[in-house]
DNA sequence: TGCAAATATGCAGCATCTTGCAAATGTGAG
DNA sequence: CTCACATTTGCAAGATGCTGCATATTTGCA
């Protein structure tokens, strides 16, 4: 009865595709509707080649679908439920600690970039 | 406003922990209640050292919690919702194709292991 | 104390993923 | 047909993850 192991592998494959911040952000963008590669690349501030590679991965796993419009390739979520389901995971993740940590970093950076009169300490 | 990127990274970290069939099966086992390492290792047919490593990872990300009982270490899900949420992903994954593929493999294996009278072909 | 069971940890080889860049392909406009 | 734009693909180096095995560490018991 290897079905348990097979299902686990299938799920693990899915999770591996989602285990990358850029790809998650792509899915989040596509949640708002169809987008072409250049638009996505601008939104994420990434080179189009990288975005294209990520999209190829997601497409290979049937998470997104593609259609051509003129010389653009327009992508959309194959199953919009995917994006909803991902957001359901937010309570599982310790976002608060990370945001606070980022704010500390921002604060530290602000101190560095705007040194006071007696910056010699 | 890097909060979007931060949340994406946090989610990606979570997905990375879940992107391994053994760890998913561990979570599935723990869904049914507390288990010690040896029991888990037997259930998954894995060496205890491997199970221990997986559990250490999951524990580092606060997905499981540990308690000692005699000389055993008993693990439990930190947030039982995790297991439910994972199962919600099943419709997103093409399990059917994989199961059929596995059945084809089984069928092929059966043909090989039980060769007919004219097996030379 | 000393032994054995239960877990955990360290490490090296291997596999996989990521990244940046260059080059190739495809496609509409003139 | 040719050009320019949009997208994809190929590749090598570096980073990260996995596996198997050996060795610690911890704890209960005699």
């Amino acid at each position: 009865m290897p079905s348990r192991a097979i299902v686990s592998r299938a799920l693990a494959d899915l999770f591996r595709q989602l285990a990358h911040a850029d790809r998650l952000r792509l899915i989040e963008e596509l949640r708002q509707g169809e987008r072409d590669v250049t638009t996505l690349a601008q939104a994420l501030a990434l080179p189009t080649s990288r975005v294209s590679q990520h999209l190829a991965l997601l497409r290979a796993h049937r998470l997104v679908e593609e259609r051509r419009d003129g010389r653009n390739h327009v992508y959309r979520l194959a199953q919009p439920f995917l994006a909803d389901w991902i957001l359901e995971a937010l309570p599982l993740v310790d976002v608060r600690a990370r945001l606070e940590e980022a704010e500390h970093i921002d604060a530290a950076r602000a101190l560095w970039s705007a040194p006071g009169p007696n910056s010699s300490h």
Side-chain angles (χ1 to χ4, degrees), chain A:
Chain A
M1 193 214 302
S3 67
R4 244 176 229 296
I6 290 174
V7 170
S8 307
R9 267 198 291 273
L11 281 173
D13 279 354
L14 170 64
F15 284 125
R16 204 175 310 126
Q17 303 317 311
L18 301 177
H20 194 292
D22 292 344
R23 290 196 287 271
L24 291 178
R25 292 178 70 197
L26 284 174
I27 292 172
E28 187 187 5
E29 285 291 322
L30 292 178
R31 184 180 151 80
Q32 299 161 213
E34 294 186 327
R35 293 287 187 276
D36 67 285
V37 179
T38 302
T39 304
L40 289 170
Q42 287 175 345
L44 304 200
L46 291 176
T48 60
S49 66
R50 181 116 44 98
V51 170
S52 177
Q53 277 180 319
H54 285 316
L55 290 171
L57 260 187
L58 296 175
R59 188 178 39 184
H61 287 258
R62 307 186 197 290
L63 299 180
V64 302
E65 293 170 347
E66 180 226 26
R67 126 182 117 75
R68 271 150 231 233
D69 175 28
R71 48 182 121 185
N72 304 340
H73 297 205
V74 180
Y75 283 85
R76 64 179 175 278
L77 293 180
Q79 294 151 293
F81 168 68
L82 173 66
D84 303 331
W85 171 77
I86 290 174
L87 289 184
E88 283 180 32
L90 277 179
L92 292 170
V93 106
D94 198 6
V95 180
R96 195 179 326 152
R98 298 196 183 232
L99 285 176
E100 287 173 0
E101 178 187 352
E103 282 167 10
H104 291 158
I105 292 174
D106 286 351
R109 190 177 300 147
L111 286 179
W112 275 102
S113 56
N118 44 0
S119 60
S120 62
H121 142 199

